[in-house]
Amino acid sequence: PCYHSKNNHHTMLSSPHNDTYKRLTGLTTSKGLKGDGLFLLSGEKLVREFIAKPNLEVVYELRHAGMNAIAPQAEQIELSGDLFNELDVLGTHFNLLVLRQPRMEILNAEDMKTYKPKGIELVVPIGDPGNLGAVIRSCEAFGIKRVILSREAAHPFLPKSVKASAGSVLRVALARGPALADFPTSCIALDTDGVSIHAFTWPSDALLLVGEEGGGLGSSRFPTRVRIPTGRVKSLNIVVAASVTIFIAEQK
């Protein structure tokens, strides 16, 4: 595989008022991610792993004067130290790559009325980007082929989500769905009030819904529910709960 960029030239940025820099800072927010279709890849391990096996378009490599280029085929942007640190929101102190987001299918309320999952697919309304990324990582580990993010979910390409996923967001098939209220009532909901995941008869094709940590699903409109027996422990972290459930579901 090779890198792709429109131009292979070197740009230096030192002003926070530069239009290109403003676009780059937008990639640390959900709004900016939706607008440009790009995202930041950060962290030495993730960046080096991607360079070894690139599967997305590299738009820019971002670095400051003390860093050597590691993706010279990409368009180079050299920033002053202060500007680089503003973009290095996770404090990695390593070169940043700006990549083209992989395509996410958009599913609306009408689509969900006739939607047919292929295997076990996960529906997530998780608003915390770290938890979202970690759950997507478990999906890749346990063979979930597709994750559908409801409208309530965080953007999967926020820096914190990408890091927590250990790069799984680059490989797992993602789709953006409507609000939870528009998903079919046939979804299997993970909840504290339901059939034990061990006793439940898992279908071969289903939408598995995990709720947000804390409030959970509340007074859910999804009648088919499963629970994880936890003894004296009242509840589990959403990442742990989702991971256990998808592992069991894929084994059945």
Side-chain angles (χ1 to χ4, degrees):
C2 59
Y3 298 99
H4 305 281
S5 64
K6 293 180 180 178
N7 302 292
N8 284 11
H9 68 265
H10 189 146
T11 302
M12 299 186 69
L13 296 179
S14 58
S15 169
H17 305 296
N18 179 278
D19 288 341
T20 298
Y21 182 72
K22 290 178 180 179
R23 285 180 60 211
L24 294 173
T25 57
L27 301 183
T28 64
T29 68
S30 294
K31 182 178 179 180
L33 288 167
K34 291 174 183 176
D36 263 352
L38 307 176
F39 73 100
L40 289 167
L41 185 67
S42 58
E44 181 173 0
K45 185 174 185 293
L46 279 183
V47 169
R48 291 196 183 280
E49 285 178 349
F50 176 83
I51 288 174
K53 293 183 178 181
N55 64 328
L56 297 173
E57 178 188 353
V58 183
V59 181
Y60 304 117
E61 177 179 2
L62 311 179
R63 55 192 176 87
H64 60 63
M67 295 175 172
N68 294 321
I70 57 173
Q73 299 90 333
E75 183 173 345
Q76 299 293 308
I77 296 183
E78 185 178 313
L79 303 108
S80 66
D82 288 344
L83 296 190
F84 181 87
N85 290 338
E86 286 292 320
L87 295 175
D88 186 22
V89 292
L90 300 179
T92 66
H93 308 295
F94 192 73
N95 307 50
L96 306 172
L97 297 182
V98 178
L99 306 181
R100 185 79 58 191
Q101 292 177 29
R103 178 182 174 275
M104 279 197 292
E105 184 178 0
I106 305 299
L107 301 169
N108 59 36
E110 284 299 312
D111 295 326
M112 296 314 303
K113 291 179 180 179
T114 57
Y115 186 79
K116 302 293 183 184
K118 297 178 181 178
I120 301 295
E121 298 184 6
L122 196 68
V123 177
V124 290
I126 300 173
D128 179 272
N131 284 342
L132 176 62
V135 167
I136 293 173
R137 181 181 185 180
S138 292
C139 286
E140 181 178 26
F142 300 136
I144 297 294
K145 298 297 188 297
R146 193 182 213 200
V147 176
I148 304 175
L149 301 105
S150 75
R151 187 178 301 162
E152 296 86 350
H155 200 291
F157 291 100
L158 285 165
K160 190 176 180 180
S161 180
V162 176
K163 179 183 179 182
S165 80
S168 291
V169 292
L170 281 64
R171 298 180 293 270
V172 173
L174 302 175
R176 177 65 78 173
L180 276 186
D182 293 316
F183 276 80
T185 57
S186 58
C187 287
I188 300 168
L190 176 61
D191 197 62
T192 54
D193 180 21
V195 178
S196 167
I197 58 172
H198 300 298
F200 184 70
T201 301
W202 291 91
S204 56
D205 302 311
L207 291 174
L208 173 61
L209 167 62
V210 296
E212 180 63 276
E213 192 165 314
L217 294 171
S219 55
S220 173
R221 57 187 287 273
F222 306 101
T224 305
R225 300 190 181 198
V226 294
R227 64 178 174 83
I228 301 172
T230 56
R232 295 182 180 180
V233 177
K234 186 176 180 180
S235 63
L236 297 172
N237 170 281
I238 185 59
V239 178
V240 174
S243 299
V244 169
T245 305
I246 61 179
F247 177 77
I248 295 295
E250 283 294 319
Q251 299 302 305
K252 294 292 186 175

